[in-house]
Amino acid sequence: ENRYRIVISCPDQPGIVAAVSEFLYKQQANIMESNQYTTDPDGGSFFLRIEFECQQDGDTQQQLEHGFQQIADHFKMDWQLVRVRNLKKLALFVSKELHCLQEILWEYESGHLMADLSVIVSNHEDARELAKSYNIPFYHIPANKDIRQQAERQQLELLEQYNIDTVILARYMQILTPGFLENYKNNIINIHHSFLPAFIGAKPYERAFDRGVKLIGATSHYVTSDLDEGPIIEQDIHRVNHKDKAEDLKRVGRLVERSVLMRAIKWHIDDRVIVFGNKTIVF
Amino acid sequence: ENRYRIVISCPDQPGIVAAVSEFLYKQQANIMESNQYTTDPDGGSFFLRIEFECQQDGDTQQQLEHGFQQIADHFKMDWQLVRVRNLKKLALFVSKELHCLQEILWEYESGHLMADLSVIVSNHEDARELAKSYNIPFYHIPANKDIRQQAERQQLELLEQYNIDTVILARYMQILTPGFLENYKNNIINIHHSFLPAFIGAKPYERAFDRGVKLIGATSHYVTSDLDEGPIIEQDIHRVNHKDKAEDLKRVGRLVERSVLMRAIKWHIDDRVIVFGNKTIVF
Amino acid sequence: ENRYRIVISCPDQPGIVAAVSEFLYKQQANIMESNQYTTDPDGGSFFLRIEFECQQDGDTQQQLEHGFQQIADHFKMDWQLVRVRNLKKLALFVSKELHCLQEILWEYESGHLMADLSVIVSNHEDARELAKSYNIPFYHIPANKDIRQQAERQQLELLEQYNIDTVILARYMQILTPGFLENYKNNIINIHHSFLPAFIGAKPYERAFDRGVKLIGATSHYVTSDLDEGPIIEQDIHRVNHKDKAEDLKRVGRLVERSVLMRAIKWHIDDRVIVFGNKTIVF
Amino acid sequence: ENRYRIVISCPDQPGIVAAVSEFLYKQQANIMESNQYTTDPDGGSFFLRIEFECQQDGDTQQQLEHGFQQIADHFKMDWQLVRVRNLKKLALFVSKELHCLQEILWEYESGHLMADLSVIVSNHEDARELAKSYNIPFYHIPANKDIRQQAERQQLELLEQYNIDTVILARYMQILTPGFLENYKNNIINIHHSFLPAFIGAKPYERAFDRGVKLIGATSHYVTSDLDEGPIIEQDIHRVNHKDKAEDLKRVGRLVERSVLMRAIKWHIDDRVIVFGNKTIVF
């Protein structure tokens, strides 16, 4: 169909919505959903996401982009125009814990994940069979501290080969270097198995158990070079009690991880998430 | 300050956002937050809420309204332009259970409820002292099945006298007649002490206890002539267990009622709630 | 290992805990976890669940049961002694929606469901492949209003053949007759896709959408001959908003159904759920 | 009435429940609710809370305590026998933010807080009027880093004078010294306005805002000499979004703080909380 989304960030000033919506009107677009937010009336930042239908024939997207460039330049916009039917291509990076991968595959199979699952990459063999059963290419690229550079070179080649838009770290337990990250800025989504900023780093469930918390959480965020410090997309928690051992926290936490990562991915592929400094606007 | 909100419902068609935003731009308005939603691209309904600042001198609101009328007529809009600093005038109707009233008064006193609490009306005397301690006029108007008409006449006179915009039924346990309701269409907010549509009508906590539910809820909705069937604004729940008697459900439920009603009131006075058929859009 | 559970319901009177715990002590049992609840100090009902270890050799369970009978008779107990390593045998009944089945299989495979998944029964073919991939016997028994008796006869034969303890209706959309139910009293668990008692019966998501609720829920309960009226084991909800169509409620609801049914099953197989009238005690 | 609670911690070994329950039976006690938990079957710790009624005449509590001492000695128990009608005496410490105090006073007035609110202490004058309106003695004791010792001396004298059992820090923003704490070990409850261990220390809402979290939380814990590191009693969270400024987080957070502290207080005065190392068992 002819559905599009335009997502805009720029310095706030009067007239932006008017200019954008007049442009869309002249393209005979019909706006389906629009969300706008300004951080501060005085010198703040302006964010806009519009989903619209445009019934024109021919190469509409290029026309739209071309026509819009003038407005974008005028208002100094960071912007993106996306055709909804051009699904984002995702690469899933996993390690040995497969519950997040499985949730993603499941939603994908049931038709509720509007993206291409193009490739699964792992530093272990555990996910191979699962990938195969869903007919998704699987690549085993060993990775650890000592061979990080080589591994990332292979990974980047794969991502290029598959024309990947977004990398999902679905419990991929390796650190990525800044060199890798800069290729996919604001397009690498991680799930951390704690309520950030609590329990940054390794073994969060064990540390949550040791601290005696009454709720355990999970956080999905864009990856930056600061470990577990990137812009948070979504968080959620589940209640635990004194009877729960570290092993129980892990088990309960898996459910939270699955649903938090899933929501983050869906918002991302729906272009609902805009990164602003170290935070996200989620429309 | 010079902050305004415009809230619009109309049949969907292309060009609405363009027309509205161009109008605002010409008024030198700066849009702070904008939310738009369309139920269906084909022949659906269109909803828009824009919050903006307009630095003009003089009688800006009247100018804005006058200027906007032409656009409104063209698109067959239900619309409302509100100046933020003109606070809505609320009447609180209560009975013997005062926890919701108290929560409202408390938020009011702490400066987090941007409305005028103009008058408190009750069919009992219980709230008099509380009203007095907050310096809010209190009227005792006895009400029950037999004297409903007379009571409502007195109430309506009071509402007129105080120039009331919105009536909050903060656990007011009397039914209001259609004759009363039509004067404040979509401006009477009730809190029902159950997760509607479960336990419509009387004694919901007792019935929730008898049914052995594991969660109890509360629902805030606009009042219509169908008991507990009006458009839902907000709902929430709290977990209970087998140790909780009906009395405990009431106690826990009071907390849920307080926060649910409070959120509904705040969204209403922020003009974030649009009624559409028997549902609400909450921006 | 030598871990056991004893679960007791009886009329309350002084001395029950003393008698039971003295008995266990004489058997050299070590109590791991004990929960007791009395509905009412005056003439109420008494409920007790004790998990303990007993290091004796030989046929301990029979000895324990034999020894305990005298105490049980004295206090008029309904009671059950369960050896933890003797896993309950489950039959899963499904129809065309497989998300609950899939969640169960998944937890089973990851070792977090301490039960035997003995057989999967369906009135459709959809689950066959999934069952096969987990090596669980699958039986297609057509069922509808007209052939209910014949279908239930076949089902009961299967349940007997596989020595089934508990039937899980994991979105099995057929009604079971009282004749069937009486064979597995308090051992048939259903998941209903609404927050009971709201939206009893068919198409709860569509009705929730029509009502404009702000939260959707799911309820797991023991099945009785009153449709969706049996003792509730667990409920949960998820927030929705005006943008969600009926289809979205279904999608979000699937997540709630999965986790609610899963918790109910786990509590049941851990013998944590005691039915009392039309309610449950969950220890 | 004649309701009691006994709360026990000791090294696990067989026979403890038997000994305790036999003792209670001989006293003609009727057990209302009993909860037991063992951390580890091999050399773990044993926790028991029993609520019971004992219809004997005369000085029952002393008799019970005297009789029980032998059992307690045998099993090396930390134990406490509490008569329910002997309400705990609470001192409320507050500063300038009064929402937690107000919630406590409110629950107290509505009869849902089974404790004596004996005295309110503050380093500011803000709460004086509120205290007065509830007829609770109020003491203004200035406190800051420089006069801490003197302030604590005055405070301790007051606590002794009022025979205080438990100190509630209802947003009391001063640090207490180890010398003060040791007088009320496991009997000083604090509310911290974050989801611990995230945002330990000052200005948690501002820091939560800066980090861009999607949920804000509150934590109630027993106070130890490690700031915000004491045993957690209860935690809860509320969802926020990109529109919420630090000020909004504070406002929403106040609701969470109020309910979390309230639950912690109620469990504490019901003797449901047992401290074990740096964690709590909550029965």
Side-chain angles (χ1 to χ4, degrees), chain C residues 219-240:
Chain C
T219 304
S220 194
H221 63 94
Y222 288 114
V223 181
T224 63
S225 50
D226 282 338
L227 183 65
D228 298 334
E229 296 281 9
I232 293 171
I233 305 169
E234 172 65 333
Q235 307 188 282
D236 212 344
I237 54 94
H238 204 278
R239 196 160 280 276
V240 293

PDB file of all heavy atoms in Angstrom, chain C residues 219-240:
ATOM      1  N   THR C 219      -7.538 -14.650  32.587  1.00  0.00           N
ATOM      2  CA  THR C 219      -7.877 -15.320  33.838  1.00  0.00           C
ATOM      3  C   THR C 219      -7.674 -16.812  33.683  1.00  0.00           C
ATOM      4  O   THR C 219      -8.205 -17.405  32.741  1.00  0.00           O
ATOM      5  CB  THR C 219      -9.355 -15.063  34.200  1.00  0.00           C
ATOM      6  OG1 THR C 219      -9.590 -13.657  34.261  1.00  0.00           O
ATOM      7  CG2 THR C 219      -9.714 -15.700  35.531  1.00  0.00           C
ATOM      8  N   SER C 220      -6.946 -17.409  34.615  1.00  0.00           N
ATOM      9  CA  SER C 220      -6.836 -18.860  34.619  1.00  0.00           C
ATOM     10  C   SER C 220      -7.648 -19.400  35.780  1.00  0.00           C
ATOM     11  O   SER C 220      -7.555 -18.892  36.899  1.00  0.00           O
ATOM     12  CB  SER C 220      -5.371 -19.279  34.738  1.00  0.00           C
ATOM     13  OG  SER C 220      -5.238 -20.637  34.426  1.00  0.00           O
ATOM     14  N   HIS C 221      -8.464 -20.427  35.493  1.00  0.00           N
ATOM     15  CA  HIS C 221      -9.374 -20.919  36.531  1.00  0.00           C
ATOM     16  C   HIS C 221      -9.615 -22.403  36.345  1.00  0.00           C
ATOM     17  O   HIS C 221      -9.412 -22.955  35.252  1.00  0.00           O
ATOM     18  CB  HIS C 221     -10.697 -20.155  36.470  1.00  0.00           C
ATOM     19  CG  HIS C 221     -11.433 -20.346  35.181  1.00  0.00           C
ATOM     20  ND1 HIS C 221     -12.413 -21.300  35.019  1.00  0.00           N
ATOM     21  CD2 HIS C 221     -11.311 -19.739  33.973  1.00  0.00           C
ATOM     22  CE1 HIS C 221     -12.882 -21.255  33.782  1.00  0.00           C
ATOM     23  NE2 HIS C 221     -12.230 -20.319  33.107  1.00  0.00           N
ATOM     24  N   TYR C 222     -10.029 -23.045  37.430  1.00  0.00           N
ATOM     25  CA  TYR C 222     -10.465 -24.438  37.322  1.00  0.00           C
ATOM     26  C   TYR C 222     -11.820 -24.457  36.640  1.00  0.00           C
ATOM     27  O   TYR C 222     -12.661 -23.568  36.869  1.00  0.00           O
ATOM     28  CB  TYR C 222     -10.554 -25.084  38.702  1.00  0.00           C
ATOM     29  CG  TYR C 222      -9.196 -25.338  39.308  1.00  0.00           C
ATOM     30  CD1 TYR C 222      -8.783 -24.662  40.449  1.00  0.00           C
ATOM     31  CD2 TYR C 222      -8.330 -26.266  38.736  1.00  0.00           C
ATOM     32  CE1 TYR C 222      -7.521 -24.880  40.994  1.00  0.00           C
ATOM     33  CE2 TYR C 222      -7.069 -26.495  39.285  1.00  0.00           C
ATOM     34  CZ  TYR C 222      -6.671 -25.799  40.408  1.00  0.00           C
ATOM     35  OH  TYR C 222      -5.431 -26.017  40.941  1.00  0.00           O
ATOM     36  N   VAL C 223     -12.014 -25.458  35.818  1.00  0.00           N
ATOM     37  CA  VAL C 223     -13.252 -25.526  35.042  1.00  0.00           C
ATOM     38  C   VAL C 223     -14.337 -26.223  35.852  1.00  0.00           C
ATOM     39  O   VAL C 223     -14.105 -27.275  36.450  1.00  0.00           O
ATOM     40  CB  VAL C 223     -13.011 -26.291  33.725  1.00  0.00           C
ATOM     41  CG1 VAL C 223     -14.301 -26.352  32.907  1.00  0.00           C
ATOM     42  CG2 VAL C 223     -11.902 -25.618  32.934  1.00  0.00           C
ATOM     43  N   THR C 224     -15.507 -25.576  35.876  1.00  0.00           N
ATOM     44  CA  THR C 224     -16.692 -26.207  36.461  1.00  0.00           C
ATOM     45  C   THR C 224     -17.786 -26.189  35.397  1.00  0.00           C
ATOM     46  O   THR C 224     -17.568 -25.697  34.293  1.00  0.00           O
ATOM     47  CB  THR C 224     -17.186 -25.436  37.704  1.00  0.00           C
ATOM     48  OG1 THR C 224     -17.582 -24.117  37.279  1.00  0.00           O
ATOM     49  CG2 THR C 224     -16.099 -25.304  38.745  1.00  0.00           C
ATOM     50  N   SER C 225     -18.926 -26.697  35.760  1.00  0.00           N
ATOM     51  CA  SER C 225     -19.985 -26.777  34.745  1.00  0.00           C
ATOM     52  C   SER C 225     -20.597 -25.413  34.447  1.00  0.00           C
ATOM     53  O   SER C 225     -21.341 -25.277  33.471  1.00  0.00           O
ATOM     54  CB  SER C 225     -21.052 -27.776  35.184  1.00  0.00           C
ATOM     55  OG  SER C 225     -21.461 -27.488  36.499  1.00  0.00           O
ATOM     56  N   ASP C 226     -20.309 -24.407  35.257  1.00  0.00           N
ATOM     57  CA  ASP C 226     -20.723 -23.043  34.914  1.00  0.00           C
ATOM     58  C   ASP C 226     -19.637 -22.379  34.083  1.00  0.00           C
ATOM     59  O   ASP C 226     -18.519 -22.154  34.570  1.00  0.00           O
ATOM     60  CB  ASP C 226     -20.932 -22.200  36.196  1.00  0.00           C
ATOM     61  CG  ASP C 226     -22.248 -22.533  36.855  1.00  0.00           C
ATOM     62  OD1 ASP C 226     -23.152 -23.051  36.166  1.00  0.00           O
ATOM     63  OD2 ASP C 226     -22.359 -22.279  38.068  1.00  0.00           O
ATOM     64  N   LEU C 227     -19.962 -22.034  32.879  1.00  0.00           N
ATOM     65  CA  LEU C 227     -18.979 -21.488  31.942  1.00  0.00           C
ATOM     66  C   LEU C 227     -18.243 -20.275  32.525  1.00  0.00           C
ATOM     67  O   LEU C 227     -18.863 -19.284  32.893  1.00  0.00           O
ATOM     68  CB  LEU C 227     -19.679 -21.082  30.632  1.00  0.00           C
ATOM     69  CG  LEU C 227     -18.746 -20.553  29.539  1.00  0.00           C
ATOM     70  CD1 LEU C 227     -17.794 -21.629  29.051  1.00  0.00           C
ATOM     71  CD2 LEU C 227     -19.542 -19.970  28.386  1.00  0.00           C
ATOM     72  N   ASP C 228     -16.934 -20.365  32.598  1.00  0.00           N
ATOM     73  CA  ASP C 228     -16.080 -19.252  33.042  1.00  0.00           C
ATOM     74  C   ASP C 228     -16.387 -18.794  34.466  1.00  0.00           C
ATOM     75  O   ASP C 228     -16.092 -17.656  34.836  1.00  0.00           O
ATOM     76  CB  ASP C 228     -16.193 -18.050  32.080  1.00  0.00           C
ATOM     77  CG  ASP C 228     -15.722 -18.391  30.674  1.00  0.00           C
ATOM     78  OD1 ASP C 228     -14.896 -19.302  30.545  1.00  0.00           O
ATOM     79  OD2 ASP C 228     -16.188 -17.758  29.720  1.00  0.00           O
ATOM     80  N   GLU C 229     -17.006 -19.689  35.261  1.00  0.00           N
ATOM     81  CA  GLU C 229     -17.379 -19.316  36.625  1.00  0.00           C
ATOM     82  C   GLU C 229     -16.599 -20.103  37.674  1.00  0.00           C
ATOM     83  O   GLU C 229     -16.856 -19.970  38.866  1.00  0.00           O
ATOM     84  CB  GLU C 229     -18.880 -19.542  36.845  1.00  0.00           C
ATOM     85  CG  GLU C 229     -19.799 -18.671  36.000  1.00  0.00           C
ATOM     86  CD  GLU C 229     -19.944 -17.249  36.547  1.00  0.00           C
ATOM     87  OE1 GLU C 229     -19.200 -16.882  37.479  1.00  0.00           O
ATOM     88  OE2 GLU C 229     -20.802 -16.507  36.027  1.00  0.00           O
ATOM     89  N   GLY C 230     -15.671 -20.939  37.247  1.00  0.00           N
ATOM     90  CA  GLY C 230     -14.936 -21.772  38.199  1.00  0.00           C
ATOM     91  C   GLY C 230     -13.947 -20.967  39.029  1.00  0.00           C
ATOM     92  O   GLY C 230     -13.695 -19.789  38.763  1.00  0.00           O
ATOM     93  N   PRO C 231     -13.362 -21.617  40.036  1.00  0.00           N
ATOM     94  CA  PRO C 231     -12.440 -20.931  40.956  1.00  0.00           C
ATOM     95  C   PRO C 231     -11.243 -20.334  40.224  1.00  0.00           C
ATOM     96  O   PRO C 231     -10.534 -21.045  39.509  1.00  0.00           O
ATOM     97  CB  PRO C 231     -11.984 -22.057  41.890  1.00  0.00           C
ATOM     98  CG  PRO C 231     -13.033 -23.109  41.786  1.00  0.00           C
ATOM     99  CD  PRO C 231     -13.573 -23.027  40.396  1.00  0.00           C
ATOM    100  N   ILE C 232     -11.019 -19.053  40.437  1.00  0.00           N
ATOM    101  CA  ILE C 232      -9.938 -18.335  39.765  1.00  0.00           C
ATOM    102  C   ILE C 232      -8.602 -18.639  40.431  1.00  0.00           C
ATOM    103  O   ILE C 232      -8.476 -18.560  41.654  1.00  0.00           O
ATOM    104  CB  ILE C 232     -10.209 -16.813  39.802  1.00  0.00           C
ATOM    105  CG1 ILE C 232     -11.433 -16.480  38.943  1.00  0.00           C
ATOM    106  CG2 ILE C 232      -8.984 -16.027  39.327  1.00  0.00           C
ATOM    107  CD1 ILE C 232     -11.921 -15.044  39.093  1.00  0.00           C
ATOM    108  N   ILE C 233      -7.616 -18.998  39.624  1.00  0.00           N
ATOM    109  CA  ILE C 233      -6.271 -19.261  40.149  1.00  0.00           C
ATOM    110  C   ILE C 233      -5.391 -18.020  40.024  1.00  0.00           C
ATOM    111  O   ILE C 233      -4.686 -17.654  40.950  1.00  0.00           O
ATOM    112  CB  ILE C 233      -5.603 -20.437  39.386  1.00  0.00           C
ATOM    113  CG1 ILE C 233      -6.497 -21.675  39.428  1.00  0.00           C
ATOM    114  CG2 ILE C 233      -4.219 -20.739  39.961  1.00  0.00           C
ATOM    115  CD1 ILE C 233      -6.055 -22.794  38.499  1.00  0.00           C
ATOM    116  N   GLU C 234      -5.451 -17.383  38.862  1.00  0.00           N
ATOM    117  CA  GLU C 234      -4.578 -16.240  38.619  1.00  0.00           C
ATOM    118  C   GLU C 234      -5.175 -15.342  37.541  1.00  0.00           C
ATOM    119  O   GLU C 234      -5.879 -15.811  36.646  1.00  0.00           O
ATOM    120  CB  GLU C 234      -3.176 -16.740  38.200  1.00  0.00           C
ATOM    121  CG  GLU C 234      -2.188 -15.687  37.728  1.00  0.00           C
ATOM    122  CD  GLU C 234      -1.748 -14.667  38.773  1.00  0.00           C
ATOM    123  OE1 GLU C 234      -2.523 -14.404  39.707  1.00  0.00           O
ATOM    124  OE2 GLU C 234      -0.642 -14.126  38.639  1.00  0.00           O
ATOM    125  N   GLN C 235      -4.914 -14.049  37.665  1.00  0.00           N
ATOM    126  CA  GLN C 235      -5.339 -13.071  36.674  1.00  0.00           C
ATOM    127  C   GLN C 235      -4.227 -12.061  36.481  1.00  0.00           C
ATOM    128  O   GLN C 235      -3.438 -11.812  37.377  1.00  0.00           O
ATOM    129  CB  GLN C 235      -6.591 -12.309  37.164  1.00  0.00           C
ATOM    130  CG  GLN C 235      -7.731 -13.194  37.597  1.00  0.00           C
ATOM    131  CD  GLN C 235      -9.001 -12.403  37.891  1.00  0.00           C
ATOM    132  OE1 GLN C 235      -9.104 -11.793  38.938  1.00  0.00           O
ATOM    133  NE2 GLN C 235      -9.953 -12.426  36.981  1.00  0.00           N
ATOM    134  N   ASP C 236      -4.214 -11.464  35.316  1.00  0.00           N
ATOM    135  CA  ASP C 236      -3.309 -10.345  35.092  1.00  0.00           C
ATOM    136  C   ASP C 236      -3.850  -9.483  33.959  1.00  0.00           C
ATOM    137  O   ASP C 236      -4.802  -9.868  33.284  1.00  0.00           O
ATOM    138  CB  ASP C 236      -1.887 -10.817  34.779  1.00  0.00           C
ATOM    139  CG  ASP C 236      -0.830  -9.841  35.300  1.00  0.00           C
ATOM    140  OD1 ASP C 236      -1.174  -8.681  35.612  1.00  0.00           O
ATOM    141  OD2 ASP C 236       0.340 -10.234  35.397  1.00  0.00           O
ATOM    142  N   ILE C 237      -3.248  -8.320  33.780  1.00  0.00           N
ATOM    143  CA  ILE C 237      -3.759  -7.378  32.802  1.00  0.00           C
ATOM    144  C   ILE C 237      -2.608  -6.721  32.054  1.00  0.00           C
ATOM    145  O   ILE C 237      -1.454  -6.799  32.472  1.00  0.00           O
ATOM    146  CB  ILE C 237      -4.592  -6.262  33.465  1.00  0.00           C
ATOM    147  CG1 ILE C 237      -3.779  -5.570  34.587  1.00  0.00           C
ATOM    148  CG2 ILE C 237      -5.895  -6.782  34.014  1.00  0.00           C
ATOM    149  CD1 ILE C 237      -3.060  -4.354  34.178  1.00  0.00           C
ATOM    150  N   HIS C 238      -2.925  -6.059  30.972  1.00  0.00           N
ATOM    151  CA  HIS C 238      -1.964  -5.214  30.271  1.00  0.00           C
ATOM    152  C   HIS C 238      -2.687  -3.970  29.775  1.00  0.00           C
ATOM    153  O   HIS C 238      -3.851  -4.023  29.397  1.00  0.00           O
ATOM    154  CB  HIS C 238      -1.307  -5.951  29.107  1.00  0.00           C
ATOM    155  CG  HIS C 238       0.020  -5.386  28.733  1.00  0.00           C
ATOM    156  ND1 HIS C 238       0.163  -4.284  27.934  1.00  0.00           N
ATOM    157  CD2 HIS C 238       1.274  -5.756  29.072  1.00  0.00           C
ATOM    158  CE1 HIS C 238       1.447  -4.012  27.787  1.00  0.00           C
ATOM    159  NE2 HIS C 238       2.156  -4.885  28.472  1.00  0.00           N
ATOM    160  N   ARG C 239      -1.968  -2.853  29.771  1.00  0.00           N
ATOM    161  CA  ARG C 239      -2.555  -1.577  29.380  1.00  0.00           C
ATOM    162  C   ARG C 239      -2.716  -1.500  27.858  1.00  0.00           C
ATOM    163  O   ARG C 239      -1.835  -1.916  27.109  1.00  0.00           O
ATOM    164  CB  ARG C 239      -1.638  -0.460  29.886  1.00  0.00           C
ATOM    165  CG  ARG C 239      -2.258   0.909  29.911  1.00  0.00           C
ATOM    166  CD  ARG C 239      -1.493   1.823  30.847  1.00  0.00           C
ATOM    167  NE  ARG C 239      -1.867   1.596  32.236  1.00  0.00           N
ATOM    168  CZ  ARG C 239      -2.932   2.154  32.811  1.00  0.00           C
ATOM    169  NH1 ARG C 239      -3.718   2.967  32.142  1.00  0.00           N
ATOM    170  NH2 ARG C 239      -3.205   1.897  34.076  1.00  0.00           N
ATOM    171  N   VAL C 240      -3.823  -0.998  27.408  1.00  0.00           N
ATOM    172  CA  VAL C 240      -4.031  -0.720  25.987  1.00  0.00           C
ATOM    173  C   VAL C 240      -4.519   0.727  25.866  1.00  0.00           C
ATOM    174  O   VAL C 240      -4.813   1.378  26.873  1.00  0.00           O
ATOM    175  CB  VAL C 240      -5.061  -1.686  25.355  1.00  0.00           C
ATOM    176  CG1 VAL C 240      -4.503  -3.101  25.319  1.00  0.00           C
ATOM    177  CG2 VAL C 240      -6.381  -1.636  26.108  1.00  0.00           C
TER     178      VAL C 240
END
